[in-house]
Amino acid sequence: MTELICTSIKNECLASDDSTLVLAAQQDPLAFEQLYRKWLNPVYRYFFYRVGDVKDAEDLTSQVFLKIYQDLPNFRSSGSFAAWLFSIAHARAVDHYRKAKPIISLESNENKADVIDLAACSARVDDISRIVRLIHSLPYGEQELIRLRFMAGLNYREMGIVLKRSEDAVRKSLNRLLKRLQIEMEVDHE
Amino acid sequence: MNNPSQYSIEDRLYRAAQALEPEKDFSEDLWKQITKTPQNPKRQGIPLFGISLSKPLLAVPALAAILLALIMIFTPQQVVQAFQKLIAYLPGIGFIEDDSQTRYLAEPVLLTQEGVTLTVDQAVSDVNQLVIAYHIDNLPPGNDCVYDINQVRLPDGRSLHVMGGEGCGNGTSFVSRLEFQPLSEDIDHVDLFISNSALSQNCQAPAAWQVTLPFSSKPPKVNLLPVIENRLTAYSETTAENSQSEASAEPPLTQRADKNEDSRGIHLGIDAAVELEDGYLLKGSIQWDNPEWMGVYMTFKKTQVLDGEGKIIPIDTTSMSSEDNQWQFKVKGKSFSTPLTVEFQEAQIWAMSETGGSFTFDAGSSPQTGQEWKIEKKLSICGQEITIHSIRAVHEIYETEEDGMIIGSGEVIDAPSDKLPNAFRVTYSSDVGVSGLGLTLLDPTQTFSGAAQSEKERPGVSPRSTYINYFGDLPTGTLTFQLNGINFQLPGNWQASWQPAD
């Protein structure tokens, strides 16, 4: 519980610092490094849990930061940088098909959980594997809620901006989803 | 009502996320690449505004004609900026940057399996993305084939996953337009893999397709349509420096007959136009003045296009961009009097704010169901006035237009039970058509997982209630809630005009 509170506070602090960092970066391009270092991990995690491949996640992460850096002079610093950043990331990753589903490799009928290379994640591998399988069993829209909240570290307001939904709707959808996942996890344990 | 297991799923998701970090070499290499990347210049002026072009645009697809049209309308500096980025429109693909690095599918690629034919019509890779357009025909009648698993394989074995696009079928054919990461300059061919969705229960056609797509410089038959971009700004001030160039160009926007007598801080702009074979594609954006508005999402109750005589012209509403408040229409046909006027009516706005008003009350050490606190405080958010009347601790069903009565996993219940969340019900009123408020507790040390939503009343009905739900106990002590978002209607009529070429 303590860890969860610290993460929540950290997200709020991350957002409130951004306007200062953005202004600094708009005046001195090299100052963009602070924003880059701060948001690199969340962006990478968001993509990794979306595409399941290190190289693809790196490629997408690179695209987003290059675009952000290029367009930074025209970003209105009164806006939410995190929401802007992940709106672009979301647009890169979004699948507009009618029946959203996880991306499956065409090379073999491998288990979805095996798409994620967990070799680099030494801690709690079994639990992480279970989490990954659970996420990838969800419809695309629900996967995106999880990715934006937990991998990207956005708050509900920022998620609403990225998903073009009200903060109310995002909170409600995510809370329902988490309750359902909790029940499924408990059944899985049994 | 405590539910420790509710927190553990979140905790486990956070831990799964935190266990992952990019390689240090990648991080450092990317930073070096960023520092070598040029930035886009800062745009002058504020939001784009609707303009009425009294001189006809020359839509002849010849560069000289386009240049002449631009010189007639834009200042010399803006002409130079426009041609630094040669945007063109390719039907079936969309807007592309047509420069020396842009590569095109050398020729259409066909593959027939069991009487069903795949045709990759076009593919273009510019600096922003790779777009592939294909269709599959002669599908057996009555099938539900959905070819929504698509992947591009590069020569080095890496795969590109779909980043966007759409695909749809009508039973006998399936049409798709896919977006991927752009190709690097050294790639002259890719393999496209297409597969049928596993959710299709009745697809009798071949499930998997593989074709090689060769890329080259622009083939002679590529039908690129010119895009006339509008780079004029809304409120350009007439200064000694630019007044001379403005005198020879179109009159400043502020002197034109502005149809938006009261824009209410919202501005509609037409950014670009493309002449199609059977109509025109208009592309634009929506901007707003209020600096407090953040994360704005805006829709309109009614959108229409009128001709020069005020007659409604049929349109195809294509798509709203997922990145900005963008819009684009295809105006059907070309037989209408000019100018065309794009009209948006009745805005529905979702906006966030970091400076919304707040209220404080003492919930005590153990707030009980039914306990109520009078607030009676006027607050403002995003330029709208809200009066918070009261806040009440409740343990009851909440209902919305979207979900009806729902609790937790979706179980519908008829009466309060111990499964219901604890909540604060905030009752408020306003003069505008508010349909939702966002509230946040300013003290993050409280252990809660909250949600806020509105009741089912139509906008304008007052007073209204919004619920802040908790999956554990209600927070205690002195609590300060701040307004951080609002969903409201804004009556109005916003217009922008455009004059097509003769």
Side-chain angles (χ1 to χ4, degrees), chain A residues 161-174:
Chain A
I161 297 169
V162 173
L163 297 173
K164 295 290 191 292
R165 297 168 65 184
S166 68
E167 181 182 350
D168 296 352
V170 169
R171 282 180 194 268
K172 184 175 60 185
S173 298
L174 184 59

Side-chain angles (χ1 to χ4, degrees), chain B residues 206-489:
Chain B
W209 303 77
Q210 177 183 346
V211 290
T212 297
L213 307 181
F215 284 85
S216 67
S217 56
K218 187 164 57 184
K221 291 184 181 177
V222 167
N223 182 26
L224 282 182
L225 302 179
V227 174
I228 310 299
E229 284 189 88
N230 170 25
R231 289 179 177 254
L232 287 176
T233 57
Y235 303 113
S236 50
E237 295 178 359
T238 303
T239 64
E241 186 179 339
N242 62 14
S243 60
Q244 186 167 1
S245 60
E246 283 187 357
S248 59
E250 291 295 313
L253 296 172
T254 51
Q255 294 179 9
R256 291 204 183 92
D258 189 340
K259 295 182 182 179
N260 302 306
E261 292 179 358
D262 178 11
S263 69
R264 308 194 71 176
I266 295 174
H267 306 282
L268 170 65
I270 298 178
D271 298 338
V274 180
E275 182 176 3
L276 305 173
E277 195 176 319
D278 56 350
Y280 293 93
L281 184 75
L282 299 183
K283 183 172 181 289
S285 56
I286 304 164
Q287 305 279 347
W288 47 91
D289 292 338
N290 192 328
E292 185 188 350
W293 292 9
M294 293 169 50
V296 177
Y297 180 59
M298 202 178 298
T299 60
F300 295 87
K301 191 174 179 180
K302 188 175 180 181
T303 305
Q304 61 185 10
V305 175
L306 307 172
D307 69 5
E309 296 170 359
K311 184 176 138 191
I312 296 175
I313 303 297
I315 61 174
D316 275 335
T317 306
T318 52
S319 66
M320 292 286 287
S321 164
S322 61
E323 290 192 23
D324 296 303
N325 281 294
Q326 303 275 329
W327 54 267
Q328 62 181 37
F329 308 138
K330 176 182 168 182
V331 176
K332 295 181 182 177
K334 298 181 183 180
S335 302
F336 42 72
S337 58
T338 56
L340 292 183
T341 299
V342 177
E343 192 173 86
F344 287 169
Q345 298 177 10
E346 304 291 327
Q348 183 72 38
I349 300 170
W350 289 263
M352 321 288 180
S353 170
E354 290 179 335
T355 57
S358 62
F359 64 91
T360 301
F361 70 101
D362 186 0
S365 59
S366 178
Q368 300 297 311
T369 300
Q371 195 172 350
E372 187 169 25
W373 298 266
K374 290 289 183 191
I375 307 296
E376 297 300 341
K377 185 175 182 181
K378 283 190 179 176
L379 304 174
S380 69
I381 179 169
C382 296
Q384 311 302 322
E385 297 295 320
I386 308 290
T387 300
I388 305 293
H389 295 300
S390 63
I391 184 164
R392 185 183 182 96
V394 297
H395 189 67
E396 65 189 36
I397 300 167
Y398 54 89
E399 184 176 346
T400 70
E401 287 186 15
E402 292 177 18
D403 304 304
M405 297 190 297
I406 57 111
I407 291 294
S409 60
E411 179 185 356
V412 177
I413 59 174
D414 295 324
S417 78
D418 59 0
K419 291 185 183 178
L420 291 169
N422 296 305
F424 282 129
R425 186 177 70 200
V426 178
T427 302
Y428 67 94
S429 59
S430 70
D431 291 335
V432 297
V434 175
S435 54
L437 279 185
L439 287 155
T440 186
L441 182 63
L442 291 185
D443 181 2
T445 62
Q446 292 281 354
T447 58
F448 73 97
S449 175
Q453 62 195 56
S454 295
E455 285 184 346
K456 201 176 174 178
E457 297 97 341
R458 293 179 183 278
V461 171
S462 230
R464 299 174 59 84
S465 295
T466 189
Y467 291 79
I468 311 170
N469 300 300
Y470 299 88
F471 290 108
D473 293 330
L474 290 175
T476 59
T478 302
L479 304 177
T480 299
F481 283 96
Q482 182 182 28
L483 296 177
N484 66 354
I486 185 169
N487 182 350
F488 65 102
Q489 283 185 344

Side-chain angles (χ1 to χ4, degrees), chain B residues 152-179:
Chain B
V152 163
R153 182 75 51 79
L154 303 178
D156 65 4
R158 287 190 306 130
S159 296
L160 302 181
H161 295 279
V162 173
M163 300 190 308
E166 57 279 333
C168 64
N170 63 2
T172 57
S173 64
F174 186 84
V175 180
S176 189
R177 177 187 167 279
L178 308 169
E179 297 169 2

Side-chain angles (χ1 to χ4, degrees), chain B residues 29-44:
Chain B
D29 288 345
L30 177 55
W31 174 242
K32 288 177 189 170
Q33 188 180 354
I34 288 171
T35 58
K36 295 176 186 172
T37 302
Q39 290 183 305
N40 291 330
K42 186 173 173 63
R43 290 179 193 152
Q44 300 302 315

Side-chain angles (χ1 to χ4, degrees), chain B residues 168-206:
Chain B
C168 64
N170 63 2
T172 57
S173 64
F174 186 84
V175 180
S176 189
R177 177 187 167 279
L178 308 169
E179 297 169 2
F180 300 86
Q181 303 166 49
L183 301 178
S184 56
E185 289 180 49
D186 59 332
I187 293 175
D188 61 2
H189 74 277
V190 301
D191 290 327
L192 173 65
F193 294 87
I194 302 169
S195 181
N196 178 43
S197 168
L199 295 177
S200 297
Q201 301 293 322
N202 184 31
C203 180
Q204 305 301 319

